[in-house]
Amino acid sequence: MSLNLPPVDEARLAQEWEADKEVLANLAANGDVARLSRPVDVSFKGSEKDFERVLTIASQFGFVELDREEDEDGDLFLFLECEQPVDEQSIRALTKKCLQIEILCGVEYDGWGCEARTGGVH
């Protein structure tokens, strides 16, 4: 299946980038080496029906399902994971891809996270 990915609203992308910079700064403060590839998780809020479409599309980009959770308000979240570095360029691409999935699937992108990698053995 070939996808035509929709354009992303530049203002929304800029807003997400502000949040991304905070996460990257926290990682750097913990000695993270951004170029090292590692598991990165992303989350989406939506419905079970929407999540099936998310999985179909996201799997084409190397994402695998980690978990599904319901919060105290009854909102459903889907957690996905991919393997990648967390340098600025990689994170900008990840965020854009997640916002495109949001548009295609009618879900709400809820951000990303990972553990710091300092170059030592884990």
Side-chain angles (χ1 to χ4, degrees):
M1 174 166 97
S2 177
L3 286 176
N4 277 335
L5 295 175
V8 172
D9 177 62
E10 290 301 320
R12 174 74 192 284
L13 194 57
Q15 177 187 7
E16 290 293 334
W17 178 240
E18 288 305 309
D20 292 345
K21 286 193 298 190
E22 286 183 33
V23 176
L24 292 172
N26 284 335
L27 287 167
N30 286 304
D32 186 65
V33 180
R35 71 180 185 283
L36 295 177
S37 192
R38 84 283 309 268
V40 176
D41 62 89
V42 299
S43 60
F44 295 92
K45 183 169 95 171
S47 70
E48 289 291 343
K49 181 175 164 259
D50 295 332
F51 292 164
E52 293 311 312
R53 181 151 165 78
V54 170
L55 287 170
T56 299
I57 292 169
S59 65
Q60 296 179 59
F61 300 115
F63 289 99
V64 295
E65 182 174 354
L66 275 181
D67 198 10
R68 296 179 192 211
E69 292 179 8
E70 184 175 337
D71 71 7
E72 61 277 353
D73 297 326
D75 291 323
L76 297 176
F77 289 86
L78 172 67
F79 295 88
L80 304 176
E81 182 179 82
C82 64
E83 185 88 15
Q84 71 167 65
V86 295
D87 57 275
E88 181 178 324
Q89 182 179 358
S90 297
I91 291 302
R92 282 183 182 269
L94 174 74
T95 298
K96 182 175 182 181
K97 194 159 286 153
C98 288
L99 290 175
Q100 289 169 319
I101 290 169
E102 174 185 88
I103 293 165
L104 287 169
C105 300
V107 293
E108 183 181 327
Y109 172 57
D110 196 46
W112 65 275
C114 68
E115 291 185 15
R117 286 280 163 98
T118 59
V121 177
H122 288 271

